[in-house]
């Protein structure tokens, strides 16, 4: 529950954290509890690490739930804490692709999560409105 609320939840779940999940967690941890917002290059690095972790967790380890959790939690952190709509949108695209590939059932948990994503996306768009072009804003809506 804590990871879903405040963190990326990027650990491997095996009790032994791999280097990618450790680096991803460290990136997010540097900004937690502070008034500091990630800059674009750092957010993009987090995106690349999260994408790698999601793909590895699903394709190599076969841990579908864990992979979708990483994508969801990282996306929410990027949206809620950092208002990184463009970066989060790329990770959300991967999340949807993975949900389809793994035939994840549409259940109450995922309906609630999609509502949270929608709300976080709308709020992040409001927060980022002054910093993005109209073209970018239209693309992300």
């Amino acid at each position: 529950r804590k990871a879903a609320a405040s963190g990326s939840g990027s650990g491997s779940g095996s009790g032994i954290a791999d280097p990618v999940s450790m680096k991803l967690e460290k990136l997010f941890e540097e900004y937690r509890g502070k008034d500091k917002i990630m800059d674009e290059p750092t957010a993009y690095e987090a995106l690349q690490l999260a994408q790698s972790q999601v793909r590895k967790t699903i394709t190599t380890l076969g841990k579908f739930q864990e992979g979708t959790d990483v994508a969801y939690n990282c996306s929410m952190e990027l949206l809620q804490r950092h208002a990184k709509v463009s970066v989060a949108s790329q990770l959300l695209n991967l999340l949807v692709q993975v949900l389809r590939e793994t035939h994840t059932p549409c259940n109450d948990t995922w309906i609630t999560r999609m509502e949270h994503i929608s709300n976080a996306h709308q709020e992040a768009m409001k927060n980022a409105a002054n910093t993005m072009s109209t073209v970018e804003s239209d693309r992300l809506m």
Side-chain angles (χ1 to χ4, degrees):
R1 176 83 182 124
K2 181 183 174 198
S6 66
S8 64
S10 58
S12 66
S14 63
I16 301 170
D18 65 275
V20 173
S21 65
M22 288 172 51
K23 183 158 178 69
L24 179 59
E25 187 60 33
K26 183 179 177 187
L27 269 180
F28 282 125
E29 192 61 39
E30 288 177 27
Y31 294 91
R32 287 193 192 121
K34 300 175 184 166
D35 290 333
K36 192 174 170 186
I37 302 296
M38 267 187 197
D39 58 17
E40 286 298 318
T42 304
Y44 188 72
E45 180 180 2
L47 166 67
Q48 290 179 316
L49 291 168
Q51 288 173 324
S52 173
Q53 189 65 19
V54 168
R55 280 286 167 216
K56 182 181 89 180
T57 303
I58 289 169
T59 58
T60 305
L61 303 176
K63 297 181 178 182
F64 303 151
Q65 179 66 48
E66 189 175 317
T68 57
D69 287 347
V70 170
Y72 172 78
N73 292 331
C74 290
S75 295
M76 290 298 288
E77 181 134 352
L78 288 166
L79 288 170
Q80 291 179 320
R81 176 71 183 98
H82 304 287
K84 298 300 180 193
V85 184
S86 182
V87 174
S89 71
Q90 293 178 60
L91 191 52
L92 289 169
N93 281 331
L94 177 61
L95 173 61
V96 170
Q97 181 181 9
V98 165
L99 288 170
R100 290 179 61 199
E101 285 175 6
T102 60
H103 305 286
T104 301
C106 179
N107 57 28
D108 290 342
T109 298
W110 278 108
I111 290 170
T112 300
R113 283 181 165 195
M114 291 301 166
E115 289 172 349
H116 291 164
I117 288 168
S118 178
N119 293 337
H121 181 271
Q122 290 174 30
E123 189 63 31
M125 287 295 292
K126 287 179 198 172
N127 293 337
N130 295 333
T131 62
M132 72 173 67
S133 71
T134 304
V135 171
E136 180 72 355
S137 177
D138 290 347
R139 182 184 73 80
L140 294 168
M141 288 305 282

